[in-house]
Each structure stands twice: as C-alpha cells, then as structure tokens.
C-alpha cells in the first residue's frame, strides 16, 4: 500500500497567500505582483487538482482501465519535470520580461492540456497529455518564484512567499471539492470536470497576462524606480510608461520560442543594474551580463549559492516523503483505511494556516533561521512517530508540525535563496536550489524505502532523524559570517 | 492597457468561460436523461429476477445506456449478445461463484464518493458490507462461494498525485472475518522471507480448496505471481511478470496480463496463459493490450474486457493460443459465469 513518492519536491513548489489587496493599508504589505501571482496559482491549482482528483476514478470507473500502468510512469514524469524547471529558469533569465512570459507559457500549456483530456480515451494519450501538463508546471515554477522574489524587498520576501504558498494551497484544497461537486451534479460528468478545469485554467492565464507586470525589475521602466520596487504598486495600478504589461500574449509566446534573440539587450540591462539594498553581500555583483547557461551553472561557484544548495540537499536527504510519514502515522495509530486519505489534507491545512505567519516570522528572524527551525519541526515529527506516547492528540500534533515544516521551509527556502542569487540569474538560481532539493528528496525516498526493507520502519526513521540532526548542524555551521535577521 | 480595460477584458472572459463551464455541467447533467434512454440498436434490456445460481448464465455489469445502466445483468452464457435481464443492483466491479456474489459499489457522499464491497446471496440480497479504501478494481469469489476478495486503488487524492498503490482484501463470507490487506501475510520470495515497504498486491483468484489463492505481488518495479495460503498466511512467489492472474476451472493454468517489452509503456500488456506445473507460457491470440483480469468461460476459453464505445466490450479467445479474438458482447464489463456444474 505504499505510494512511491517522488513528488514531494514538485508539490511543495506551489502555495501562496491569502492576503487581500486591501492589505495595502499596511506599509509593508505584500506587493500587488505577489497577490496577482498568488491569485494565478490559486486559480491554476483549483484547475489542476480538479483533474488530479478525478483522474483515477475516470480511468477505472469511466474508461474501465487500471491506473496502475499510469502510476508507474510517474517517476519518469517527475524527473523530467525537474529538468524542465532548470530550462524554464534559464529561459526566464534571458531578460526582457521573460519571467512573465515563460511562466505564462507554462500556465497556458497546462491549460491547453485540459480539453485534450476529453479526446484521450486510453492510457497512452492520457499519459502524454499529463506529461505535457507537467512540462507546463515545470516551466512556470522557477520564473514565477523569481517574479515573487524580485517584486519583494529582502525584508518582506518571507511574507511574500508565505502569501503565495498559502493561496496556492487554498487552490489545491478547493480543486477536488469543485470536481466532486460537479460529479455529484452530473452523470459521469468527467467531460464537464475537464471543461470547467480548462475554463478555470484560462482565467488563471488571463489574470497572469493582465495583472502581472512583465518585468518587476523595472528593466523596461525608469531605472530610478528600482530601489522602491518592493512597495511600488506594480500590479493593479496602471504602470505608466511600462511597455511590459501591454504586450499581447502572442508576442510573449513568440518571445519564448526565440529564446536567444533578446538576451544580449535585456541581459546587459539587468546585469548592469546594482542589486537592491539589502541583498546578500556575497552577491557576485559583477557577474557577466548575459545570463548564459554557463553563467547559470557558474552560480554554483558562488559561495553563498553553494552554501544554500548544499543545505537544501543535505536537509532534503533527511526529508522522509509525505507518503512514508502518513504510512508511519497510520501504523502507529491504526488509522482506519477510509481516514487515510484525510491525513494529507491535515498537513495541507496546517500549511495553509501557517504559511503567512511563518513567512512574516522569516522576515523578522531571518529566512535561513526559520528554514532550520522548520526542520526542527520535522525532527519533532520523527520523534513523535518514534516515541511511545500514544495520546489522542498525536495525529493532530504530527500533522500540524508536518504542515508547519512545509510552511517554514517551502517558500522560505526560496526567500533565503533569493538573498544569494543575483537578480539577473534569479530564476535559474531558484530552479537550481529547487531541483537540488527535489532530487535529494527523491534519493531520500529510495534510501528510506531500502532502509525500511532492510531494517524495519523504526530503524529507518531513526536513521533519518540522525541524518536530519547532522544536516541541521552542518547548515548551522555553514551560516554566512554576516549576521542575518534583516528586520 | 488601462486598469479599466484590463478589468473589462477579465470580466468579459469570465462571462464567456463561466458560460462554457455552466453549459458543460448542464449538458453532463442532462445526459442523465439521455443515458436513461436506450440507444437504438443497443441490446434489449428488461428488468427481472437475476439469480446467482441459475444454470448457464453470464452475469455482468451492463454499461449500455438506458434505465438499467450499471446494473448487474444476466444473459444466457450461450447467447451473450442476447436479451439482457437487469437486476437493479448497481456495481462498478462484480464477480460471483458458488451462489455468492461480490459487488464493489460507489457511495455518493456530499463532497466525494466513497466505496464499499457488498456480499450478495444467490438472489442478490446484501448479506454484508465492507468499506473499501479506494477506487475498486478487481473482484473475485472462490469457486465454493466461501471467500471473496477485492482490490482497490488507494491514492489519487490531491496529495498523492498520480501515484497509486493497491490494497487487496479477502473476506471469509461464512465467518465475516476480513483480512483488510494481504500485506499482513508473510512473503516468501526465492525461498526466503521478503520484507519491503513498497509491496503491493492485487488481482486475487481462488482455487477450489478454499485455502489457496493466487495474486499479483509488485515490488521494486517488478511483478510476480504469488501463491497465497489463507491458513498459513503466507504468499510465495511463483513466476515473474504476472499481473491479474485468473485460475482456470480445473486449477492447472493461470491466465494473466504480462508486461511485454517493446510495447508502449502505457499499454504494455498481452494476455498469456501459464501452465502451473511446467511454468510454460502461451501467448493468447489477442494482439491488443488487455488491462483486465480475464475470466474462464470453461477450461478452454477466456473472456476479457477491452475499451469500447460505452465503456467496455467483452471479447473471447481460446486459452491455448490458437484462433482469433471475437467480440461477444458490447457495453459490458466484469462478467461471471454462474451456475457452473461443479468441476
């Protein structure tokens, strides 16, 4: 009954914030770009989770197939998605507002896959359509996170990512609900689910096209606007003089298909721009103008990037995948089968509730510190699962801590990484860290499965806990010399 | 573009998309009526008594449109395309033997479906209900009718993505004792006890002795035919690359779907028959990928489902690898041959 889980990395990459535009009253409110992107993620996740939720039912009850053959392909898709993410990050860094258009293409590609599901009636075409859907997801993740990062100041980045992750998770929780309401209202209404999912996805793309500025770095606007970028109302206000938002989708799509063309111009523009105040001093401020693939890879030569990637890798290696955590919890408690599916919802709900407050906390105490604290929460999860304590509060506490772990690490890692990655390579840098983390978690899944087989679940978890302690200690030791906590 | 223009674009798009979405939902719900009307040229179906003990009948889930869609339906085994008698009992998956039926159903809840397995007596009255932890897939009853088994796909909720695991349950219909998962059994692989976190079981098929059964074991990306022992609670690997085994009435052979190299990864299966004594495999003369647990009409003939216009159609092919596949029934799935004279 174990679920081979290699999705932890990809799933974690989506959630965002419940703050409303009127939060603008507050001085340090989240940038409108972040709210727009959060809205896009929320809408898109409603759309994609609608499909995910009914797909097995559709395969088994609707088409009479078994989803098992499809499930076996999942690992391939996930690995592919990690690579696509690096590509998306790289393309987006080529400047000229490409973050928006690369992300937009990713969203549009996924949206276009929904109606294709109506035409696919066997596993092969369905598998291909979903592979395309994942390609879209892989493409859009890094540019979107880069946009969030670039439209916030270092002092509000944690909150910005927290808001985005909370909104994203809200969408993920709503999607299945919408899908089942449609199924209830119809007879075998899978086609209606796919059609509505498509319509919802198109709305998400539209919100992105209409309300997310093309270049939050103000590469197309007056340079003087840059220091104020985080608080500047880039979003719903009219961006006077900015050519970016006025661009039509076709132009953007064309851009994407000619990735090399604009690079020198916009690249040099971005490259010559000074980092905003508060950037990590380790920034290679003089990094070359054109963000070539080599430049993206040379990011790993930067001590700060190397440090955070190493931390993400080490801690990722000790992050037991959700499936195992829920399985262990079920074994400890003897959770009845029919409740089993609710355990992930518990984690998601905790994530949703905690993402914003913990994001704000990250801004106060430093994202690295919170990232490590989040792994402390994960360590507590392991400890509770290993302990002899058997209180009725155990599942709630475990799920709360597990959701808290995600809330304290998922967006926060991106916020932390943003401090080390120069603006012009922001997308590639974030993609690099995410992919590293995803691969480490994948290796952890394989290793944990093997350890479970060889030594049993408790020993495997004990080893993971030890690894986690080691990872946290190393991460603490790797702390950059200048103290953080830019409050 | 001014803010007003952008809002205008968004609102207009919302109106159009909401229209499309609403129309698709309305169309799908109106289909309830359409699907309640039989399609001209479809099988003739009338309501009537369906008994699991009736001689020479095939009982299956009727998928043809009309008032009896998804109901258990009976036809003469000798004329499977003939007039159908529908029972009013709706099932996603079904099997019956020895006067006992197992019917896997969905239960519509306020925000989602749940699933259950119900045991049926020879007159399709419910004798027991069990929760099924996911989407039901395979169902089998032992030849005597004493044991029933089913498999469910667990996963598919928003946080399990497209990964699935399976759980196979076995119930003793006489005592009501349920084994919710075969994972509680000891696995013996290559002569040694085998532990792995990633084991999955599905597709149980029983022998006539009410003790032995066969099933699929999957672990580390490979599948195996396992022989289970309900008393010793063990599962012993028999042969690699076997999924959804189905034991012949004489108990000497297993029909199964085998993952064949070089085929598309999503439709990789061919039907084979394995001789349990010699472990020799014979390919069935069916060129298409079959994703079903076949049933034996008799010791020489296999029946299995392939996707069709109304969900699934039933096909037959000789078990010895000769001949050609032949479609015997449209809009039908999960067949069971009942009232079989004891072997």
């Amino acid at each position: 009954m174990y679920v081979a889980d290699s999705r932890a990395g990809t799933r974690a990459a989506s959630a965002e914030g419940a703050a409303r535009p009127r939060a603008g009253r507050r001085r340090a409110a989240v940038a409108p770009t972040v709210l727009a992107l959060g809205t896009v993620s929320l809408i898109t996740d409603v759309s994609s989770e609608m499909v995910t939720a009914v797909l097995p039912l559709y395969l088994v009850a609707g088409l009479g197939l078994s989803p098992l053959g499809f499930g076996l392909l999942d690992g391939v898709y996930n690995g592919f998605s990690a690579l696509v993410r690096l590509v998306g990050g790289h393309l987006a860094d080529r400047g000229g507002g490409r973050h928006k258009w690369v992300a937009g293409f990713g969203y549009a590609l996924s949206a276009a896959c929904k109606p294709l599901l109506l035409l696919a009636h066997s596993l092969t075409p369905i598998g291909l359509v979903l592979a395309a859907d994942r390609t879209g997801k892989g493409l859009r993740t890094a540019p979107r996170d880069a946009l969030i990062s670039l439209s916030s100041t270092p002092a509000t980045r944690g909150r910005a990512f927290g808001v985005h992750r909370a909104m994203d998770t809200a969408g993920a929780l709503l999607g299945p609900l919408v899908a089942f309401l449609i199924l209830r209202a119809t007879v075998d209404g899978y086609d209606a689910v796919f059609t509505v999912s498509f319509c919802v996805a198109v709305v998400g793309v539209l919100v992105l096209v209409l309300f997310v500025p093309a270049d939050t770095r103000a590469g197309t606007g007056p340079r003087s606007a840059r220091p104020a970028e985080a608080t500047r109302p880039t979003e719903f206000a009219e961006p006077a003089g900015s050519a970016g938002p006025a661009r039509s989708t076709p132009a953007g799509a064309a851009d994407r298909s000619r990735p090399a063309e604009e690079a020198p111009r916009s690249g040099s523009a971005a490259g010559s721009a000074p980092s905003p105040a508060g950037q990590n001093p380790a920034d290679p401020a003089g990094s070359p103008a054109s963000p070539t693939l080599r430049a993206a890879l040379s990011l790993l030569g930067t001590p700060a990037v190397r440090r955070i990637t190493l931390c993400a890798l080490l801690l990722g290696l000790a992050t037991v995948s959700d499936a195992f955590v829920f399985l262990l919890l079920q074994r400890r408690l003897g959770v009845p089968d029919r409740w089993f599916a609710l355990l992930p919802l518990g984690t998601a709900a905790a994530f949703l509730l905690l993402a914003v407050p913990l994001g704000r906390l990250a801004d106060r105490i430093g994202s690295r510190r919170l990232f490590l604290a989040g792994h402390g929460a994960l360590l507590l999860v392991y400890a509770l699962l290993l302990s002899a304590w058997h209180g009725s509060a155990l599942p709630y506490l475990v799920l709360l801590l597990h959701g808290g772990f995600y809330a304290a690490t998922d967006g926060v890692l991106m916020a932390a990484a943003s401090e080390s990655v120069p603006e012009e390579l922001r997308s590639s840098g974030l993609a690099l860290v995410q992919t590293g983390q995803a691969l480490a978690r994948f290796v952890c899944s394989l290793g944990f499965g093997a350890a479970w087989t060889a030594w049993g679940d408790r020993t495997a978890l004990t080893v993971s806990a030890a690894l986690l302690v080691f990872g946290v200690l190393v991460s603490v030791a790797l702390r950059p010399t200048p103290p953080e906590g830019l409050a | 573009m001014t803010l007003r223009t952008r809002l205008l674009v968004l609102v207009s798009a919302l109106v159009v998309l909401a229209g499309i979405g609403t129309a698709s939902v309305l169309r799908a719900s109106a289909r309830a009526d359409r699907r309640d009307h039989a399609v001209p040229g479809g099988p003739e179906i009338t309501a009537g008594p369906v008994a699991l003990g009736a001689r020479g009948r095939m009982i299956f889930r009727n998928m043809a449109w009309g008032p009896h869609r998804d109901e258990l339906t009976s036809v003469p085994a000798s004329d499977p395309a003939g007039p159908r008698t529908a029972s009013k009992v709706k099932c996603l998956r079904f099997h019956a033997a020895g006067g006992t039926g197992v019917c896997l159903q969905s239960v519509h809840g306020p925000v989602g479906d749940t699933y259950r397995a119900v045991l049926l007596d020879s007159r399709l009255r419910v004798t027991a209900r069990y929760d099924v932890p996911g989407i039901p897939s395979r169902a089998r009853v032992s030849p005597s009718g004493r044991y029933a088994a089913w498999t469910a796909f667990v996963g598919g909720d928003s946080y399990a993505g497209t990964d699935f695991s399976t759980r196979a349950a076995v119930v003793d219909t006489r005592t009501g004792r349920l084994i919710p998962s075969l994972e509680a059994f000891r696995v013996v692989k290559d002569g040694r006890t085998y532990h792995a976190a990633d084991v999955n079981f599905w597709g149980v098929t029983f022998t006539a002795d009410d003790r032995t059964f066969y099933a699929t074991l999957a672990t580390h990306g490979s599948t195996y035919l396992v022989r289970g022992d309900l008393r010793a609670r063990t599962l012993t690997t028999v042969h690699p690359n076997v999924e959804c085994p189905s034991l012949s009435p004489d108990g000497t052979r297993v029909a199964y779907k085998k993952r064949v190299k070089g085929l598309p990864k999503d439709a990789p299966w061919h039907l084979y028959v394995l001789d349990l004594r010699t472990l020799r495999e014979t390919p069935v003369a069916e060129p298409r990928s079959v994703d079903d647990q076949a049933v034996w009409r008799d010791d020489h003939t296999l029946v299995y489902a392939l996707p069709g216009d109304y969900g699934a159609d039933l096909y037959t092919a000789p078990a010895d690898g000769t001949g050609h596949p032949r479609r015997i029934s449209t809009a039908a799935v999960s067949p069971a041959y009942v009232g079989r004279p004891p072997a």
Side-chain angles (χ1 to χ4, degrees):
Chain A
M1 54 116 93
Y2 130 120
V3 178
D5 180 67
S6 46
R7 98 208 107 79
T10 45
R11 179 195 68 75
S14 63
E16 195 133 327
R20 322 290 320 259
R22 66 180 115 83
R25 286 179 278 132
R26 263 209 157 84
R27 200 194 58 76
V30 166
T33 303
V34 173
L35 290 179
L37 284 169
T39 308
V40 173
S41 288
L42 190 156
I43 295 171
T44 304
D45 257 40
V46 168
S47 162
S48 60
E49 295 302 332
M50 279 175 73
V51 171
T52 312
V54 304
L55 201 64
L57 195 58
Y58 175 60
L59 293 178
V60 177
L63 297 181
L65 308 169
S66 80
L68 206 64
F70 177 71
L72 290 172
L73 283 180
D74 199 60
V76 182
Y77 295 156
N78 273 326
F80 183 59
S81 167
L83 289 179
V84 168
R85 196 182 316 199
L86 289 174
V87 173
H90 175 62
L91 289 180
D93 276 337
R94 288 179 164 259
R98 281 181 196 269
H99 287 99
K100 173 176 174 177
W101 299 116
V102 172
F105 178 77
Y107 282 111
L109 180 62
S110 294
C113 288
K114 270 53 179 196
L116 291 180
L117 283 173
L118 292 169
L119 307 174
H121 289 293
S122 60
L123 275 178
T124 308
I126 290 174
L128 289 174
V129 170
L130 292 174
D133 190 293
R134 298 231 171 161
T135 304
K137 187 180 171 72
L139 277 176
R140 72 195 180 226
T141 303
R144 183 206 58 207
D145 279 352
L147 277 174
I148 296 168
S149 159
L150 293 170
S151 61
S152 336
T153 58
T156 60
R157 214 166 260 149
R159 177 193 321 210
F161 276 103
V163 166
H164 177 264
R165 297 310 194 235
M167 287 177 88
D168 183 279
T169 304
L173 288 171
L174 278 175
L177 207 62
V178 175
F180 280 111
L181 288 178
I182 292 175
L183 283 187
R184 294 288 292 118
T186 59
V187 178
D188 286 357
Y190 301 103
D191 52 346
V193 172
F194 298 150
T195 307
V196 171
S197 167
F198 168 68
C199 294
V200 172
V202 171
V203 174
V205 175
L206 267 178
V207 171
L208 177 94
V209 170
L210 293 171
F211 296 107
V212 174
D215 195 343
T216 45
R217 281 176 296 181
T220 54
R223 185 60 31 82
S224 57
R226 300 190 74 256
E229 63 176 353
T231 45
R232 191 183 50 156
T234 40
E235 207 32 18
F236 294 97
E238 176 60 6
S242 162
R247 272 162 118 170
S248 66
T249 317
D255 262 349
R256 194 212 50 80
S257 61
R258 292 179 275 113
E261 200 177 273
E262 265 189 287
R265 185 190 63 75
S266 49
S268 59
S272 61
S275 307
Q279 283 289 96
N280 189 310
D283 259 4
S287 71
S290 83
T292 57
L293 206 52
R294 203 151 32 95
L297 286 177
S298 72
L299 272 176
L300 281 178
T302 323
V305 177
R306 212 166 43 212
R307 214 155 32 211
I308 192 145
T309 311
L310 188 65
C311 289
L313 272 173
L314 268 180
L315 294 168
L317 281 175
T319 304
V320 172
S321 80
D322 300 5
F324 283 123
V325 170
F326 300 137
L327 208 53
L328 285 162
L329 189 57
Q330 193 203 22
R331 292 201 166 194
R332 280 250 4 231
L333 299 172
V335 177
D337 279 346
R338 77 192 127 134
W339 298 116
F340 187 68
L342 293 181
L343 297 180
L345 295 185
T347 290
F351 184 10
L352 172 65
L353 290 176
L354 293 172
V356 176
L358 288 184
R360 296 177 66 150
L361 187 62
D363 291 335
R364 207 161 324 137
I365 67 169
S367 42
R368 264 165 240 254
R369 207 172 288 169
L370 189 69
F371 184 69
L372 292 179
H375 285 86
L378 184 63
L379 196 59
L380 275 178
V381 169
Y382 294 175
L384 283 171
L385 288 174
L386 286 169
S387 77
W389 180 54
H390 207 292
S392 55
L394 180 68
Y396 301 99
L397 198 54
V398 166
L399 295 178
L400 184 73
L401 284 167
H402 198 230
F405 156 68
Y406 277 117
T409 55
D410 186 30
V412 170
L413 175 63
M414 293 298 99
S418 298
E419 290 168 22
S420 317
V421 181
E423 279 193 26
E424 66 275 12
L425 290 172
R426 188 63 51 86
S427 203
S428 309
L430 297 188
L432 201 65
V433 175
Q434 285 170 350
T435 301
Q437 186 189 42
L439 288 180
R441 285 183 177 175
F442 182 61
V443 170
C444 175
S445 274
L446 294 180
F448 190 85
W452 184 328
T453 300
W455 307 317
D457 51 354
R458 291 184 63 84
T459 314
L461 192 60
T462 310
V463 171
S464 301
L467 270 178
L468 188 55
V469 171
F470 173 73
V472 169
L473 289 179
V474 171
S475 300
V476 170
L478 279 177
R479 257 176 73 115
T481 26
E484 40 173 305
L486 318 133
Chain B
M1 233 194 298
T2 64
L3 177 62
R4 226 182 112 208
T5 320
R6 282 183 279 158
L7 284 176
L8 207 65
V9 171
L10 183 66
V11 170
S12 333
L14 278 178
V15 170
V16 172
L17 292 168
I20 297 174
T22 312
S24 73
V25 173
L26 288 179
R27 206 177 63 117
S29 61
R31 197 165 43 205
D33 306 331
R34 203 148 55 86
R35 292 203 168 177
D36 281 346
H37 293 102
V39 177
E44 189 186 311
I45 310 169
T46 46
V50 171
L52 295 183
R55 272 289 149 93
R57 306 289 290 184
M58 180 178 83
I59 301 179
F60 57 93
R61 168 186 166 194
N62 166 48
M63 297 181 91
W65 289 7
H68 303 293
R69 214 164 58 89
D70 298 333
E71 289 180 14
L72 290 184
T73 303
S74 159
V75 292
S78 55
D79 181 20
R84 301 181 177 186
T85 308
S87 67
K88 289 194 160 61
V89 178
K90 290 196 176 193
C91 303
L92 296 170
R93 290 285 193 270
F94 168 78
H95 190 250
T100 303
V102 60
C103 165
L104 307 180
Q105 305 175 316
S106 60
V107 184
H108 299 303
V111 290
D113 286 358
T114 54
Y115 305 93
R116 67 182 180 198
V118 298
L119 299 181
L120 305 169
D121 68 10
S122 63
R123 297 169 68 184
L124 299 189
R125 286 175 304 210
V126 174
T127 56
R129 289 187 178 84
Y130 300 90
D131 282 334
V132 173
I135 297 161
S137 150
R138 309 292 179 212
R140 275 295 186 271
V141 177
S142 70
S144 72
R146 172 161 177 192
Y147 286 98
W150 55 83
T151 308
F153 287 103
V154 182
D157 63 275
S158 62
Y159 281 81
T162 45
D163 294 328
F164 299 96
S165 62
T166 61
R167 254 179 262 183
V170 176
V171 69
D172 182 338
T173 66
R174 201 179 297 165
T175 64
R177 198 175 62 99
L178 175 75
I179 299 160
S181 171
L182 288 182
E183 284 168 45
F185 280 28
R186 188 166 68 92
V187 177
V188 181
K189 184 164 168 270
D190 307 323
R192 290 162 52 189
T193 299
Y194 177 78
H195 292 288
D198 72 345
V199 293
N200 278 297
F201 298 99
W202 67 87
V204 172
T205 181
F206 294 97
T207 65
D209 66 3
D210 278 338
R211 170 170 180 172
T212 313
F213 64 92
Y214 291 85
T216 313
L217 155 70
T219 181
H220 284 84
S222 303
T223 60
Y224 303 87
L225 177 69
V226 286
R227 184 175 48 241
D229 185 325
L230 286 169
R231 240 172 283 168
R233 294 173 70 88
T234 55
L235 293 155
T236 311
T237 57
V238 176
H239 197 67
N241 199 0
V242 172
E243 293 179 55
C244 297
S246 178
L247 200 65
S248 62
D250 63 13
T252 61
R253 285 153 297 153
V254 155
Y256 64 100
K257 56 184 224 204
K258 170 179 172 172
R259 198 171 280 269
V260 178
K261 274 198 190 127
L263 291 184
K265 273 189 180 163
D266 312 63
W269 298 290
H270 267 314
L271 270 186
Y272 277 75
V273 172
L274 177 75
D275 187 307
L276 287 170
R277 250 178 338 174
T278 62
L279 295 184
R280 212 170 61 90
E281 297 178 334
T282 309
V284 176
E286 166 57 80
R288 290 161 290 191
S289 177
V290 175
D291 184 4
D292 192 19
Q293 187 174 19
V295 298
W296 294 74
R297 194 182 72 195
D298 50 47
D299 278 327
H300 314 287
T301 317
L302 295 172
V303 175
Y304 47 91
L306 284 170
D309 289 342
Y310 297 98
D313 297 333
L314 294 179
Y315 289 78
T316 184
D320 61 3
T322 63
H324 300 284
R326 195 163 55 82
R327 185 167 73 179
I328 56 167
S329 192
T330 58
V333 76
S334 274
Y337 288 89
V338 298
R340 183 180 272 155

